[in-house]
Amino acid sequence: MTQSAPLLSGEKPELRHGDVFVITLPGHHDQADDGPSPSRWAAAWRAVMVLAALALAGHCYRLHYYSPEVAARLWGEGWRWSAEGASSSSFLLPLYTKKAGHGAGVKASTAALPERFVLQEFVLLPPLICRRYYTSINIGNPARPYFLDVDTGTDLTWIQCDAPCTNCTKGPHPLYKPSKGNMVHPKDSVCQELQGNQNYCDTCKQCEYEIAYADRSSSAGVLARDSMQLITADAEREIVPFVFGCAYDQQGKLLDSTTGTDGVLGLSNGAISLPTQLANQGIISNVFGHCIPADPTSSGYMFLGDEYIPRWGMTWVPIRNGPENVYSTEVQKVNYGGQELNVRRQAGKLTQVIFDSGSSYTYFPREIYRNLIASLEDVSPGFVHDDSDQTLPFCMKPNFPVRSVDDVKELFKPLELQFRKRWFVIPRTFTISPESYLIISEKGNVCLGVLDGTEIGHRSTIIIGDASLRGKLVVYDNDENQMGWVQSDCTRPQKESRVHSFLSRALHSQLL
């Protein structure tokens, strides 16, 4: 036991491991124990409650005054502190919808070509022009706005540039004009981290790269470094540096997919992604989230940092570590209503699930996909499969006029992805409502917005696209290696207090 010295006026107590609180309760002096009584039991219960409250308060106090080294040991290296001991900032960004010709890529692997670094990705190619989501970011000095597609399946943020531009689409804003000082040198640590150990261009003066897609479209450019203007959670403007791709040569169907925007915002957990760059500089915690409204005509929001994570109601699942920098986890069952869609030979096996905001549609492995179609045909006797409708692979003609999903959503059941229960008790389910997987074609048919993943090389992986993410706030926490979601109308982001941040991290640490 240690004894604390008297405190001077205004001095803060220093709490250490091993410190003991001595509590004296009124009416409890040293005397013989005459046996338990109701009043003694009540007093003892009050003492326990006081001790618990003090222990929690002391624990939170220690969290606030721990040194950065101790904090890093408690929360991990991703938890960063400013010079004043306060947590990092958070930034709020708008989220808009647009029309697009194709879905964006799902990262598959990396490979090198003799002249440029290549990020090789699968590109999702649904045949319907559908909605996708983008945000607006101000870049440069003076800052100019650029519209970027929000893509959690892509590492590198890239913007169409006049470098000069060999082949660019006509975006909503003038091409970004880099200066010579903005170019990243091949020997720069960022370039070497992006390219790995493949130092194949010692004579190059710029860090070149190329993003190649499975449909043979591509985007080539060089790395640039410039400032970006963001809005903090306190509505203040902050200038932060970041590295991005200055794209000057787009080829193939990619030219159609970026119509209406100026580039792509890379939000994966790779080292070159925007959240990781900001976190490595201590600007934010390595956390971000997006809230896509259920109404595709409404605007939502996204945030960088951890100050907009809801206080209650989040469902969390662990992020699965793997060679690809994607947000994946594992699911036990896939149900249509109460009917399990997993095939018998896969029963008990875990299926990988990737959350990809850059994909417009959701993809199931072929066996689950076919079982879903069979279930839809069984529960929809008034609908007939219409092969002539090429909007999507599976469309049904109803026996009554249909103008929107609202006319038929009550006839269908939700899709449910069931994850392992938390602490073996609390269920964890990701629910996709009929409005988030059904699409009405121009013919008035009801089409399934879930596609066969085997056709894009994902035989045993589920891809959750942005259509299935609507009506939810989804959070990607790279510090805690977890992602979560909660139902939301996505109209009003709520900034959470820092006190709750300390408490939640303390409880999370103790429970794990």
Side-chain angles (χ1 to χ4, degrees):
M1 180 185 299
T2 59
Q3 183 175 354
S4 300
L7 295 177
L8 300 178
S9 176
E11 185 178 355
K12 295 177 180 178
E14 181 180 357
L15 302 178
R16 300 179 298 274
H17 292 289
D19 287 355
V20 176
F21 290 96
V22 179
I23 301 176
T24 303
L25 298 174
H28 289 260
H29 303 288
D30 293 337
Q31 59 183 3
D33 189 358
D34 296 329
S37 66
S39 61
R40 285 176 178 251
W41 283 115
W45 176 249
R46 286 196 299 271
V48 171
M49 296 301 294
V50 171
L51 282 170
L54 285 174
L56 181 59
H59 183 67
C60 294
Y61 190 88
R62 287 197 297 274
L63 289 179
H64 187 74
Y65 286 99
Y66 270 148
S67 66
E69 292 78 13
V70 177
R73 189 167 67 249
L74 283 173
W75 315 125
E77 294 299 330
W79 178 254
R80 300 179 182 275
W81 297 71
S82 68
E84 293 78 18
S87 62
S88 50
S89 301
S90 291
F91 304 105
L92 192 63
L93 297 93
L95 208 57
Y96 308 110
T97 61
K98 72 160 188 171
K99 292 283 187 179
H102 301 287
V106 179
K107 182 168 174 54
S109 61
T110 59
L113 291 182
E115 296 181 356
R116 292 192 180 102
F117 179 73
V118 177
L119 299 175
Q120 189 173 15
E121 301 188 351
F122 286 115
V123 65
L124 312 184
L125 301 171
L128 175 71
I129 293 178
C130 59
R131 295 188 178 274
R132 290 180 56 203
Y133 300 87
Y134 68 93
T135 189
S136 178
I137 292 182
N138 295 326
I139 299 172
N141 187 15
R144 302 178 186 276
Y146 294 94
F147 292 165
L148 303 179
D149 292 318
V150 174
D151 191 352
T152 59
T154 296
D155 293 354
L156 183 65
T157 296
W158 59 268
I159 304 172
Q160 293 192 128
C161 293
D162 187 5
C165 187
T166 303
N167 195 26
C168 289
T169 62
K170 184 175 176 54
H173 301 101
L175 299 178
Y176 172 83
K177 251 189 172 329
S179 65
K180 187 176 180 180
N182 292 131
M183 296 296 97
V184 174
H185 195 274
K187 293 185 179 180
D188 191 293
S189 60
V190 175
C191 183
Q192 294 179 356
E193 186 170 316
L194 179 68
Q195 297 179 352
N197 297 322
Q198 302 169 45
N199 300 319
Y200 48 79
C201 188
D202 293 334
T203 60
C204 294
K205 296 181 179 180
Q206 301 175 141
C207 181
E208 299 186 351
Y209 71 91
E210 181 177 353
I211 300 178
Y213 297 89
D215 67 342
R216 298 182 180 179
S217 65
S218 63
S219 175
V222 293
L223 284 189
R225 181 182 280 110
D226 207 335
S227 59
M228 173 173 51
Q229 188 180 92
L230 296 172
I231 305 300
T232 69
D234 299 319
E236 297 179 355
R237 296 181 183 274
E238 186 168 333
I239 306 298
V240 298
F242 87 119
V243 174
F244 58 96
C246 186
Y248 54 73
D249 186 9
Q250 278 64 251
Q251 299 291 335
K253 295 181 179 180
L254 182 64
L255 292 172
D256 298 328
S257 66
T258 54
T259 302
T261 53
D262 303 296
V264 174
L265 183 65
L267 296 170
S268 75
N269 53 16
I272 198 69
S273 72
L274 177 60
T276 304
Q277 284 192 52
L278 297 180
N280 287 341
Q281 298 176 66
I283 297 172
I284 65 169
S285 300
N286 200 343
V287 179
F288 76 95
H290 55 69
C291 201
I292 302 175
D295 181 0
T297 63
S298 301
S299 298
Y301 64 89
M302 63 170 292
F303 58 85
L304 302 166
D306 61 1
E307 294 187 43
Y308 290 98
I309 301 177
R311 187 176 279 111
W312 311 108
M314 291 289 296
T315 298
W316 294 100
V317 294
I319 295 176
R320 180 177 178 267
N321 295 322
E324 300 90 3
N325 299 324
V326 294
Y327 296 103
S328 68
T329 185
E330 292 178 325
V331 67
Q332 285 188 314
K333 296 180 181 179
V334 181
N335 293 345
Y336 175 71
Q339 180 181 356
E340 185 174 349
L341 299 178
N342 299 62
V343 294
R344 290 184 179 180
R345 62 185 179 86
Q346 291 181 336
K349 294 183 179 180
L350 299 178
T351 302
Q352 182 182 4
V353 181
I354 297 176
F355 283 61
D356 183 15
S357 66
S359 169
S360 296
Y361 295 99
T362 289
Y363 288 77
F364 282 175
R366 176 162 293 171
E367 294 82 0
I368 299 178
Y369 172 73
R370 289 176 174 173
N371 287 342
L372 173 59
I373 290 179
S375 298
L376 294 179
E377 291 175 331
D378 289 342
V379 300
S380 308
F383 293 73
V384 180
H385 185 198
D386 186 358
D387 290 327
S388 66
D389 194 338
Q390 299 298 308
T391 301
L392 284 169
F394 181 74
C395 294
M396 297 181 293
K397 183 178 181 61
N399 56 6
F400 58 91
V402 175
R403 293 170 296 178
S404 70
V405 176
D406 290 337
D407 296 334
V408 295
K409 65 181 182 180
E410 300 299 333
L411 303 176
F412 295 87
K413 301 176 182 178
L415 289 168
E416 296 178 341
L417 276 64
Q418 295 185 0
F419 300 86
R420 283 178 172 174
K421 294 181 178 180
R422 194 171 189 177
W423 303 314
F424 305 100
V425 177
I426 303 176
R428 294 185 287 190
T429 303
F430 185 89
T431 302
I432 306 174
S433 64
E435 305 95 295
S436 296
Y437 70 80
L438 295 177
I439 293 173
I440 307 303
S441 71
E442 292 182 356
K443 290 186 173 183
N445 290 340
V446 180
C447 299
L448 177 61
V450 178
L451 306 183
D452 184 355
T454 305
E455 296 182 358
I456 60 167
H458 287 275
R459 293 179 176 82
S460 59
T461 303
I462 295 173
I463 309 292
I464 303 296
D466 58 30
S468 298
L469 298 174
R470 292 189 301 213
K472 294 180 178 64
L473 170 61
V474 183
V475 178
Y476 307 83
D477 188 343
N478 292 305
D479 284 342
E480 300 290 346
N481 204 38
Q482 63 181 0
M483 55 186 171
W485 57 85
V486 65
Q487 290 294 126
S488 175
D489 59 11
C490 301
T491 58
R492 184 181 302 174
Q494 297 292 329
K495 178 184 174 184
E496 300 301 329
S497 66
R498 296 183 186 273
V499 174
H500 168 257
S501 177
F502 283 123
L503 290 174
S504 63
R505 289 176 180 271
L507 292 174
H508 182 77
S509 176
Q510 295 301 311
L511 289 173
L512 294 182

